[in-house]
Amino acid sequence: MKQLTVSLVLVVVSAVIGLGWLINEVYHSIENDEQTGEFSFYESIGYDLASTLDNLSETNREAFLSEWQQTSELIVRLQKRVNFPIPDSLLVNFEQGNALILESEQDVSLHFYMERSQNVMTLLFIKQDTESSLMNVNLIFTLVFYIGVVIILLLWLYPLIGRLIILRSAARSFGQGNLSSRVSEGRLSYISDIEMEFNRMADRIETLIEDNKLLSRAVSHDLKTPLARLRFGIDALEEVQDSKTRYKYLDRISNDLCEMESLVDTLLRYARLDESNVELHKENIPMEEFIRSLFAVHDRADIQLEYCFDETQSWIHTDRRYVAMLFNNLMNNAIKHAHSHIRITFKKQPQGYLFLIEDDGAGIPEDQRDKVIQPFWRGDHGIKGHGMGLAIVSRIAEWLGVSLSINTSDDLGGAKVSLYFK
């Protein structure tokens, strides 16, 4: 919304100020052109008339003026130069032959110096009524201003309306059950943050629905087997009298109950990771010390744990509980698949920290790396478990803002899981 607000303010301010300034300049230019054109016409007449009168004798000059007053609406007067006061600042230009223009509210007078006869000719004319024409021009420019602002706003709104139509279509398609519907990213979009949030929401909903389907299928499959064995064991107990055989069936029933309890506990732990109200309690953690103490319980004689840390202690600001859950699930997964060697690496990167856990097991095929982070996916390696380890890792990594990637270890040959802390 910030981009939308800023662009709207810039468009409105630019349209009002820029268009207003442009129209104001054009209006004043037209007004000045009208006045300049009007004065130029009378000034040209005045120059010719003053030149003619200056070359006439006094008798002919009076006769000419008498005839002029009878045939022309322009008032022409003559007076001696000594009787015409003029400021010193205008004297030089005036005596060089330039017209002196004096303007009042009703009329305009043009004064011309006649050097030969030492007279000053005054040409007087009444101002034309240009107020109405200027008002019409003012009205036209006012309409142009408002129309221009509307056009600029419409040009700004056009791509916004287009993006909103696309967003509405994607939302409608998503609501009709097309969970893969997304808003295409536009190069110029005022609502790119809203589009990103919609796509993120759609991804989240699609993931939750897919997880729900997987959980439903997995629970229906994984619970049916122990429940069937429990029913068979209970029925068998009713018919068996031998105490040794009864203990054998009771032991099997206990194992089935433990398996069901483990499955329910795993489901509950995974379901908690989907809760949106879980709060992260972040703190500064010394990672080398934290990793060693966390993995100390996994120290086994048949598996070598190799640690590769930087020389200096590294600290990250994150939630201790969820990082511990993250690392423990990775270690449990590595122990299941490793033959004899697991390497744990934590080192500083230019813009964050990198955690690696590698093993010398069979590794994860490239075409299965996107599937192993799905709940209840076990693959074809035959290892027992619920298939939730890496699914939990993926979900916690998403919560903590940690980048997760799965590759093949160059040195050990097995799986290499990378976590990048920013």
Side-chain angles (χ1 to χ4, degrees):
M1 292 299 292
K2 181 179 179 181
Q3 184 179 0
L4 177 64
T5 304
V6 171
S7 62
L8 177 59
V9 171
L10 288 177
V11 166
V12 172
V13 172
S14 301
V16 173
I17 295 178
L19 197 58
W21 174 83
L22 179 62
I23 291 177
N24 183 66
E25 290 295 318
V26 174
Y27 174 78
H28 285 298
S29 175
I30 293 175
E31 184 180 18
N32 293 333
D33 287 344
E34 287 186 359
Q35 293 181 351
T36 302
E38 183 181 9
F39 290 165
S40 297
F41 171 73
Y42 289 110
E43 189 175 359
S44 176
I45 295 176
Y47 279 123
D48 294 338
L49 189 58
S51 177
T52 302
L53 291 174
D54 199 21
N55 292 322
L56 295 175
S57 62
E58 186 174 352
T59 303
N60 294 332
R61 190 181 301 127
E62 291 178 357
F64 180 87
L65 287 177
S66 178
E67 183 69 21
W68 176 273
Q69 301 297 350
Q70 296 177 5
T71 59
S72 176
E73 295 180 355
L74 296 176
I75 301 173
V76 179
R77 296 172 183 168
L78 287 179
Q79 59 181 316
K80 292 295 183 180
R81 167 66 183 84
V82 294
N83 297 328
F84 184 75
I86 185 171
D88 294 337
S89 58
L90 303 175
L91 181 60
V92 176
N93 286 334
F94 181 67
E95 291 186 346
Q96 287 178 353
N98 295 320
L100 176 63
I101 301 175
L102 300 178
E103 184 179 1
S104 66
E105 293 183 359
Q106 293 81 20
D107 55 31
V108 178
S109 59
L110 283 75
H111 304 274
F112 301 90
Y113 175 57
M114 301 165 59
E115 184 178 4
R116 184 175 180 181
S117 60
Q118 291 296 306
N119 290 323
V120 175
M121 187 196 79
T122 301
L123 180 64
L124 185 68
F125 64 91
I126 307 300
K127 280 186 176 180
Q128 295 182 1
D129 187 14
T130 59
E131 184 176 354
S132 59
S133 62
L134 289 177
M135 287 182 62
N136 292 333
V137 172
N138 189 24
L139 177 61
I140 292 173
F141 278 122
T142 301
L143 292 176
V144 169
F145 171 76
Y146 286 114
I147 293 173
V149 171
V150 171
I151 290 175
I152 292 174
L153 290 178
L154 288 177
L155 291 175
W156 177 83
L157 284 172
Y158 179 76
L160 174 62
I161 293 173
R163 299 307 301 178
L164 289 176
I165 292 174
I166 294 174
L167 180 61
R168 183 189 63 181
S169 299
R172 179 181 298 171
S173 177
F174 191 86
Q176 292 174 350
N178 182 14
L179 300 182
S180 62
S181 177
R182 299 292 184 272
V183 179
S184 59
E185 296 183 3
R187 297 180 60 185
L188 296 175
S189 177
Y190 306 131
I191 56 171
S192 57
D193 52 347
I194 299 177
E195 294 171 348
M196 291 174 59
E197 289 300 325
F198 174 83
N199 289 339
R200 190 179 293 112
M201 176 201 69
D203 290 338
R204 181 63 175 162
I205 293 175
E206 184 178 18
T207 300
L208 290 175
I209 292 177
E210 290 298 324
D211 287 354
N212 183 59
K213 292 179 180 178
L214 287 170
L215 290 173
S216 299
R217 290 195 296 265
V219 169
S220 64
H221 176 270
D222 286 16
L223 283 179
K224 279 182 180 179
T225 301
L227 281 173
R229 291 199 300 262
L230 278 173
R231 183 177 298 276
F232 174 78
I234 292 173
D235 292 340
L237 279 176
E238 295 177 353
E239 300 177 0
V240 174
Q241 301 298 327
D242 181 55
S243 60
K244 185 176 181 180
T245 305
R246 290 178 65 87
Y247 280 122
K248 178 181 177 182
Y249 284 122
L250 286 172
D251 186 57
R252 289 181 178 178
I253 291 174
S254 177
N255 290 336
D256 291 335
L257 288 173
C258 289
E259 182 179 346
M260 294 175 62
E261 184 181 10
S262 173
L263 176 61
V264 171
D265 181 66
T266 302
L267 290 173
L268 290 176
R269 283 193 296 135
Y270 187 76
R272 291 190 192 103
L273 297 179
D274 283 332
E275 296 178 4
S276 58
N277 58 348
V278 174
E279 296 182 1
L280 298 177
H281 302 283
K282 294 186 177 183
E283 58 181 299
N284 291 323
I285 303 175
M287 292 307 296
E288 289 82 353
E289 177 184 339
F290 175 73
I291 291 173
R292 288 184 183 274
S293 62
L294 185 68
F295 291 162
V297 296
H298 298 285
D299 192 8
R300 294 168 43 171
D302 58 335
I303 295 181
Q304 175 190 356
L305 295 183
E306 177 187 357
Y307 295 97
C308 297
F309 297 143
D310 291 334
E311 295 181 358
T312 58
Q313 181 75 267
S314 297
W315 297 71
I316 63 171
H317 188 68
T318 188
D319 189 293
R320 181 184 293 268
R321 297 172 304 161
Y322 286 106
V323 170
M325 188 184 300
L326 187 71
F327 288 170
N328 274 324
N329 277 279
L330 286 177
M331 176 58 74
N332 290 331
N333 193 72
I335 290 175
K336 288 179 182 179
H337 296 84
H339 297 310
S340 61
H341 193 178
I342 296 176
R343 178 185 296 160
I344 301 102
T345 304
F346 192 86
K347 56 185 178 181
K348 184 174 177 55
Q349 297 291 297
Q351 296 182 352
Y353 295 91
L354 180 64
F355 173 85
L356 299 174
I357 183 165
E358 306 169 75
D359 62 68
D360 61 348
I364 302 175
E366 187 174 355
D367 59 342
Q368 298 181 8
R369 290 171 186 172
D370 292 334
K371 299 178 181 178
V372 294
I373 60 175
Q374 297 177 1
F376 293 101
W377 195 89
R378 298 184 182 89
D380 52 5
H381 45 67
I383 302 295
K384 292 183 177 180
H386 302 301
M388 295 291 289
L390 290 178
I392 293 175
V393 167
S394 176
R395 187 57 51 84
I396 296 175
E398 180 183 347
W399 268 28
L400 298 178
V402 178
S403 300
L404 170 67
S405 63
I406 302 173
N407 297 285
T408 301
S409 174
D410 296 331
D411 297 333
L412 303 183
K416 179 175 72 173
V417 181
S418 307
L419 295 174
Y420 188 79
F421 294 82
K422 297 181 180 179

